[in-house]
Each structure stands twice: as structure tokens, then as C-alpha cells.
Amino acid sequence: MIGMKDKFVLELGYELLSLVDRDHPELLDGILNLRKQKPYIPKIRIMDNITLEPFEISLNKERSILNKEENLASQILTIIENFVEKHSEIWEGMELVVKPGKMLTFRFLQDDEEYKVRAKVIGIFNDTIDLELEKN
């Protein structure tokens, strides 16, 4: 079982190693953004694995072959997101710490359109959190 203190281990086949090069920040930036959007995603350790096929990855021992004709970083990010959705134990039992002054971001769907709202925590009273919405 994967818990909050456990890391994801992302192993890459040798043709994918250039994705973690400083000249190609798309994968690392994508992982950073994904973890900002979903803070329950644990740290991700990236390693090479010569036993994998050139365009194969392993995320916590679940293997996937990437389509070399499509965006490789995007495929890996999708695999990470799908893994998180499939393994609900990752976010079960997660506690949200809310303090006055902290900014929160809420994402929601309405009529198949995604919206994002940011709010500042003004105060906490009993089981109620007072928020001040950020104006765009």
C-alpha cells in the first residue's frame, strides 16, 4: 500500500532518460505542477532501469510502454494521474491543515467547463471556515 510518506518510483527506459535533462524541463515541470494541483501526490523518485524496454516506464512496478510518436512527457504525466485515481489509498486519511491567512484553490466543473477559484482563509470558527474570494 502506498502512503503519504512513501515515494513514487518512476523508472525510465534508456530512450526516456533525456526527459530529465535540464534542456528538456517539460516532464519535471509537469510533475511539479501536478503535485501543486494534487498535493496528496507523494514525492516522485526518478531512476533509470536498463531492464525496461527503451520507451517503457515503471511507476511503482506498474509498467507501461509509451508511444514514441506522441509527446512522451505528456504520456508519463497522464500515467501518473491515472495511477493516483486508481489508488484511492493515496489520498484516503489525508488531513487538510487550514490556517488563517492561507490561500486555498478550488477547482470545479460546471457544464463541462473547469473553473478555478482562489480564496484566503479569514478565520476558523467551530466547524466553519470563513473565506475571502480572490477577485480576478
Side-chain angles (χ1 to χ4, degrees):
M1 183 165 113
I2 300 167
M4 287 300 292
K5 293 182 181 175
D6 298 319
K7 290 185 174 85
F8 278 9
V9 177
L10 175 63
E11 297 172 293
L12 305 175
Y14 70 85
E15 286 290 339
L16 303 172
L17 294 177
S18 65
L19 293 175
V20 293
D21 188 317
R22 288 184 186 168
D23 295 333
H24 302 93
E26 185 179 354
L27 177 62
L28 297 179
D29 287 349
I31 289 172
L32 178 65
N33 288 332
L34 187 60
R35 291 189 67 230
K36 284 181 180 178
Q37 293 171 13
K38 300 179 180 187
Y40 49 83
I41 295 177
K43 293 178 183 177
I44 299 174
R45 177 181 296 164
I46 301 174
M47 304 169 57
D48 67 327
N49 182 336
I50 61 170
T51 66
L52 295 175
E53 295 296 319
F55 289 93
E56 184 177 19
I57 69 164
S58 171
L59 179 61
N60 285 21
K61 305 296 182 194
E62 288 188 18
R63 291 180 169 208
S64 300
I65 301 275
L66 303 183
N67 181 344
K68 63 183 176 183
E69 306 300 322
E70 295 179 17
N71 184 302
L72 299 169
S74 177
Q75 290 178 71
I76 293 171
L77 294 171
T78 299
I79 290 167
I80 293 170
E81 283 188 277
N82 290 340
F83 186 91
V84 170
E85 296 302 319
K86 182 176 154 186
H87 294 278
S88 61
E89 71 270 13
I90 293 169
W91 64 83
E92 286 177 357
M94 181 179 153
E95 292 182 23
L96 177 63
V97 177
V98 179
K99 298 178 182 177
K102 184 173 180 163
M103 292 298 291
L104 301 175
T105 302
F106 301 94
R107 294 180 189 277
F108 61 94
L109 283 175
Q110 183 176 349
D111 299 326
D112 293 328
E113 203 164 325
E114 183 176 295
Y115 295 90
K116 181 171 87 171
V117 176
R118 288 182 43 86
K120 182 177 182 179
V121 177
I122 302 301
I124 303 167
F125 308 98
N126 298 325
D127 291 337
T128 304
I129 300 173
D130 287 340
L131 301 172
E132 179 180 287
L133 295 178
E134 184 179 81
K135 295 178 182 173
N136 291 335

